[in-house]
Amino acid sequence: MRRNTEKPSGTLPYTSFQMAKEVYADPEVTGKNRYKYFERPFLPFHQQMPLNVVFAVTKTEPYTFPTTSAKYPSIPSKCTVGTQTDYRDAEVQTDPYSPEYVVCQESIPELLTLATLTWGRGLPAGQAEVEMIERAREKRAWEATLPCLSDTSQFEKRRRMMNAMERKEWAFREQEIEKLQEIRLEVLKELLKKRDENQNEVNMKHLNAQWSKLQEAKEAKLAQIQHRHVSAIRKLVGKGKNIEGKLERRNIIKDYSDYASQVYGPLSRLGRFPDNNSEDFVVKNHYLNTYEGLVELESCLPDFVTQPRIRPPKPKVTTTKAGFLKRAARMEHELAEVHKAILDKKNKVLEPKKLLRFLQRKSLPQPRLPTPTLEMSSNEEEDIEMAVIYLQKLLRGRVVQNTMFEGKEKRLELIQELRTSHALQEDDRLLKKAEKQVTLALQRQRNLHEHKVSLVENHLAGLEGRVLADMFDFLSKELVRLQEERRIHAFAMLAERQRRMREAEESGRRQVEQRRLREEDQIFKEVVKVHQSTVTSYLEDIILNTEENTAEEQARAEIEKMAEEINDIAYEMESRRTQLQSEEIVAELVYSFLIPEVQKDFVKEKVRNAQQKHILAAHQIIHRHTEAMLKKNFVEQQQDEVSDTDQLLEEETQNDKNN
């Protein structure tokens, strides 16, 4: 869509920015708004600096006498009070202060074209803002070159120029749109990539969780299978021990002689828990559970029990001062061992063989044939096999009974003879039985006496253990208390030393902060100076540009006037000229247009080169001074840091010496 940038004839020269006239109120510099025109930096070391006050021009207003009806003076409803902040400027600064301004009539400063830029939205200016300002300047320069609307002969040229500029603006806008689209595509790619990464991470978490669940289920299943396997193996081993299914009586002697049997260590899987009802066997005694009972029991004990006196035996001196065994003692010990071995060998007597108390006959059992095994394919075959085995057992038992009966019938006379010999030994058996009973009675009395002695010794050992435990407990607690006290003292010393070190570091940081503040103040002053010089040069450039534009407008008006006069003369001459005169005029016009344009370009290039030299010289001077100042400040800062570290080291050494 084409913008209508044309203006009616008879107005001021064409400009791209027009501002409505505004009537500004009195700023009241010497009144209630006086505090706005003060400048006083807030410094932590309270330097007394003069105030920079800007006074307004005094105005003489006619004095108005108060009305007679007003008995009391009017009291203002609002009062403006100046405040002083306790914080740094960097902590409370929001938007920079922008003072009010007044624009003279018939003047449009270039700075007002940037009124749309505010702090945080275009300010401080970046590369995009600088490019926008340059484009606006080019647009204003182009608009200044447009032909005037009052000239109808230049209307076609104006239209072509405006069309070309419009196409150029549309091309620039398309480039900006393409750049924005590329940026959005990059952002979209990053977001998609991030989303894919997050989705992959979530998928990996789900897979890990599922894998962990499956692993736990697998481990539980393996544990269950292992448990069933152990149970089945245990059952098979039990069946293998008694494959024929014989019923065996319990051998009580074997159970009590084997300390790994069920009597001493019953299995919990069989329903036996040895710890059940263990409190029933706890000894509850008044003398052992109460303090009064212990005191009474202790009063009954002799002194040698509560106050033992141990006299260590005096060993024979068989070692040297260095702790080595003497050679003579070693030789004597070896000879004594050899002599004892010889005597034992000489006095060793062969024991005669004991006679048999009873006639015994050892029969060698016949070797048993290996039992064949058969794999069963079903429960019915297994039941048939067990029935066959049971029938075989019955037949074998009957065969053994028949064999025993036949042997008894064959050796009946020998059995009668053995019965008579046993009858003769009846008296000896009675005598042995009586001796056995006497021996058992003596053994029972000795066991009872040993039991009583062990009970007394157990009570005494318990009392001694309690006394020793109390004493050792007190000593261990005292040792822990002393160790804790020493550790707390060491912690206090370390904390005091750390506090001193932190105080020294804080003082060093405070000095560095003060030095940095002084440097920032100096830099701020230099920056203000640079800004002031920049503003001065900028205003000079604006004034010069304004003068050039005014001169250019006046020259254009004069040129247009002269052009009209020349056109009239040219029309009059054109009506009377010949072909030869026309060719001469064309040659003169070409010559007058080309040569001045070339000279003008040459002069412009020469002026630009001259200005470039001065600009480079100014840049070199500014950078040289700033680099020298920065190097000087850096050297001073390093010197101050070295002096501070030396001072801190001296203070630490003095504190260590004092401690």
Side-chain angles (χ1 to χ4, degrees):
M1 183 175 179
R2 181 180 300 175
R3 294 182 302 171
N4 188 9
T5 57
E6 297 180 357
K7 63 178 180 176
S9 61
T11 59
L12 294 173
Y14 176 78
T15 56
S16 63
F17 182 85
Q18 293 184 1
M19 187 172 182
K21 295 181 181 179
E22 295 182 4
V23 180
Y24 296 95
D26 186 10
E28 297 185 9
V29 177
T30 58
K32 64 179 182 180
N33 295 330
R34 185 178 179 182
Y35 69 94
K36 294 182 180 179
Y37 299 92
F38 284 81
E39 181 183 0
R40 187 174 189 177
F42 181 76
L43 299 176
F45 41 86
H46 302 289
Q47 287 187 355
Q48 297 296 332
M49 299 181 68
L51 299 175
N52 298 329
V53 185
V54 181
F55 293 99
V57 181
T58 57
K59 297 180 180 179
T60 57
E61 297 179 355
Y63 180 76
T64 57
F65 292 94
T67 60
T68 58
S69 62
K71 296 181 180 180
Y72 302 100
S74 61
I75 298 174
S77 61
K78 297 181 181 180
C79 182
T80 303
V81 180
T83 58
Q84 176 64 45
T85 178
D86 293 333
Y87 302 95
R88 293 178 57 185
D89 295 338
E91 296 176 354
V92 300
Q93 186 69 38
T94 54
D95 291 340
Y97 171 68
S98 299
E100 297 179 351
Y101 55 88
V102 178
V103 180
C104 298
Q105 295 182 359
E106 298 181 0
S107 65
I108 302 172
E110 186 182 10
L111 188 61
L112 293 180
T113 60
L114 307 178
T116 56
L117 301 179
T118 58
W119 185 262
R121 294 183 179 179
L123 291 179
Q127 184 178 1
E129 287 74 17
V130 173
E131 291 178 357
M132 185 266 291
I133 294 169
E134 293 295 332
R135 288 196 303 272
R137 286 180 177 177
E138 292 177 0
K139 182 69 176 297
R140 287 195 296 273
W142 171 80
E143 289 173 352
T145 60
L146 281 174
C148 185
L149 286 172
S150 60
D151 191 1
T152 57
S153 62
Q154 300 293 330
F155 185 80
E156 187 65 24
K157 180 180 179 182
R158 180 185 178 88
R159 187 177 61 79
R160 288 196 301 270
M161 291 176 67
M162 291 179 67
N163 290 336
M165 178 55 69
E166 189 175 4
R167 286 194 295 272
K168 185 177 179 182
E169 288 179 354
W170 278 111
F172 177 76
R173 182 57 181 165
E174 289 176 358
Q175 291 179 0
E176 286 186 343
I177 292 171
E178 289 177 358
K179 289 181 181 178
L180 290 174
Q181 288 178 352
E182 291 177 358
I183 293 171
R184 289 178 181 176
L185 285 175
E186 292 295 330
V187 172
L188 185 60
K189 287 180 181 178
E190 291 294 329
L191 291 175
L192 290 174
K193 184 178 179 182
K194 190 174 181 181
R195 188 187 69 178
D196 293 337
E197 291 177 356
N198 294 335
Q199 188 65 32
N200 292 333
E201 187 176 357
V202 171
N203 293 336
M204 287 300 295
K205 287 182 180 178
H206 290 169
L207 289 175
N208 292 334
Q210 189 67 20
W211 185 79
S212 61
K213 289 181 181 179
L214 293 176
Q215 286 293 112
E216 291 175 358
K218 177 185 174 183
E219 291 175 358
K221 190 69 175 178
L222 288 175
Q224 187 178 4
I225 293 171
Q226 186 71 17
H227 179 70
R228 286 188 292 181
H229 172 72
V230 172
S231 179
I233 292 296
R234 192 185 298 116
K235 291 179 181 178
L236 290 175
V237 171
K239 288 182 179 180
K241 289 181 180 179
N242 190 9
I243 193 170
E244 295 180 358
K246 292 182 179 180
L247 297 176
E248 295 181 359
R249 287 188 177 185
R250 178 186 175 190
N251 192 351
I252 299 175
I253 297 174
K254 182 179 179 181
D255 292 341
Y256 279 87
S257 61
D258 185 11
Y259 291 98
S261 63
Q262 296 290 326
V263 177
Y264 295 97
L267 297 177
S268 59
R269 68 169 180 267
L270 300 178
R272 292 291 304 278
F273 299 93
D275 295 334
N276 288 347
N277 301 325
S278 60
E279 63 273 3
D280 296 338
F281 302 100
V282 177
V283 178
K284 298 178 181 179
N285 195 346
H286 170 72
Y287 294 101
L288 300 178
N289 297 335
T290 60
Y291 178 74
E292 293 81 3
L294 289 174
V295 172
E296 185 179 355
L297 186 62
E298 186 177 358
S299 62
C300 298
L301 296 175
D303 294 338
F304 70 87
V305 176
T306 58
Q307 298 176 1
R309 299 179 181 85
I310 300 173
R311 295 179 180 178
K314 295 181 179 179
K316 296 181 180 180
V317 181
T318 58
T319 58
T320 59
K321 293 181 179 180
F324 298 100
L325 191 65
K326 293 182 179 180
R327 183 179 296 176
R330 192 185 306 113
M331 186 65 70
E332 185 178 355
H333 181 69
E334 291 177 357
L335 291 174
E337 288 182 353
V338 172
H339 180 67
K340 184 178 179 181
I342 292 171
L343 290 178
D344 291 341
K345 192 172 182 180
K346 284 183 179 180
N347 297 330
K348 188 175 182 181
V349 179
L350 295 175
E351 295 180 359
K353 294 184 178 180
K354 294 182 181 181
L355 298 175
L356 295 175
R357 291 178 59 189
F358 305 103
L359 297 176
Q360 296 178 357
R361 181 180 179 183
K362 295 181 179 180
S363 60
L364 297 175
Q366 296 180 358
R368 190 173 179 179
L369 297 175
T371 303
T373 58
L374 180 63
E375 294 182 359
M376 302 297 172
S377 61
S378 63
N379 294 330
E380 295 178 357
E381 293 181 358
E382 187 176 358
D383 294 338
I384 295 170
E385 181 68 20
M386 293 300 294
V388 171
I389 292 171
Y390 183 69
L391 182 60
Q392 289 177 357
K393 289 180 182 179
L394 292 176
L395 295 175
R396 288 173 183 171
R398 193 64 179 171
V399 170
V400 171
Q401 287 180 358
N402 294 332
T403 304
M404 291 177 64
F405 184 75
E406 290 176 359
K408 178 182 176 183
E409 292 295 331
K410 288 180 181 179
R411 296 173 179 79
L412 186 59
E413 295 178 357
L414 183 58
I415 292 171
Q416 293 294 334
E417 185 180 357
L418 289 173
R419 286 178 179 175
T420 55
S421 63
H422 282 292
L424 294 174
Q425 295 177 358
E426 188 68 24
D427 296 334
D428 294 336
R429 285 200 300 273
L430 292 175
L431 183 61
K432 292 291 183 181
K433 187 175 182 180
E435 291 178 356
K436 181 179 179 181
Q437 290 178 355
V438 172
T439 303
L440 290 174
L442 293 174
Q443 187 176 5
R444 196 177 298 110
Q445 291 179 359
R446 183 171 59 81
N447 291 335
L448 184 61
H449 179 69
E450 288 179 355
H451 180 65
K452 291 180 179 179
V453 172
S454 64
L455 288 176
V456 174
E457 289 179 353
N458 289 333
H459 287 299
L460 294 176
L463 292 174
E464 292 176 358
R466 289 190 182 90
V467 173
L468 292 174
D470 294 338
M471 182 176 64
F472 289 148
D473 183 47
F474 174 74
L475 293 175
S476 64
K477 289 180 179 178
E478 277 296 313
L479 179 60
V480 171
R481 187 182 65 79
L482 290 174
Q483 291 177 353
E484 290 292 332
E485 185 178 356
R486 290 181 181 178
R487 188 171 64 179
I488 291 169
H489 180 67
F491 284 159
M493 295 292 291
L494 289 173
E496 183 67 21
R497 184 172 179 273
Q498 190 174 7
R499 183 182 65 79
R500 291 177 181 174
M501 292 176 66
R502 287 183 177 178
E503 287 179 354
E505 292 177 357
E506 186 65 26
S507 63
R509 284 196 294 269
R510 195 179 300 112
Q511 293 176 2
V512 172
E513 182 69 18
Q514 291 178 359
R515 192 184 311 111
R516 187 177 61 80
L517 288 174
R518 289 197 295 270
E519 292 175 358
E520 288 180 355
D521 293 336
Q522 186 65 27
I523 292 170
F524 178 74
K525 292 178 183 178
E526 296 294 333
V527 170
V528 168
K529 289 180 182 179
V530 173
H531 287 178
Q532 290 177 356
S533 62
T534 305
V535 170
T536 303
S537 62
Y538 180 69
L539 292 175
E540 290 177 356
D541 292 340
I542 291 173
I543 292 168
L544 291 174
N545 291 331
T546 306
E547 291 177 356
E548 290 178 359
N549 293 332
T550 305
E552 188 175 356
E553 290 175 358
Q554 292 178 359
R556 186 178 290 107
E558 292 177 0
I559 289 169
E560 289 177 356
K561 185 177 180 181
M562 291 176 64
E564 290 178 359
E565 295 177 358
I566 291 169
N567 283 334
D568 296 337
I569 296 169
Y571 291 149
E572 185 178 357
M573 291 177 65
E574 197 172 23
S575 61
R576 297 182 299 176
R577 71 185 176 194
T578 61
Q579 183 67 25
L580 183 59
Q581 290 177 352
S582 299
E583 293 178 359
E584 289 179 358
I585 290 170
V586 170
E588 289 178 0
L589 288 174
V590 171
Y591 180 78
S592 61
F593 273 108
L594 291 177
I595 300 302
E597 189 67 24
V598 173
Q599 291 179 356
K600 190 188 294 183
D601 293 340
F602 178 73
V603 171
K604 286 183 179 179
E605 186 67 25
K606 187 175 181 181
V607 171
R608 191 182 295 109
N609 294 332
Q611 290 179 354
Q612 188 70 21
K613 178 175 66 176
H614 295 296
I615 290 170
L616 290 175
H619 285 186
Q620 291 177 359
I621 291 169
I622 292 169
H623 289 300
R624 183 169 64 251
H625 286 295
T626 54
E627 289 177 358
M629 185 173 64
L630 290 174
K631 288 181 180 178
K632 184 178 178 181
N633 292 333
F634 181 72
V635 171
E636 291 178 356
Q637 185 177 0
Q638 286 185 346
Q639 291 177 358
D640 293 338
E641 289 179 356
V642 171
S643 61
D644 293 338
T645 52
D646 295 338
Q647 186 177 359
L648 291 174
L649 291 173
E650 290 178 0
E651 290 178 358
E652 288 181 358
T653 53
Q654 289 179 3
N655 292 330
D656 295 335
K657 289 179 180 178
N658 294 330
N659 293 329

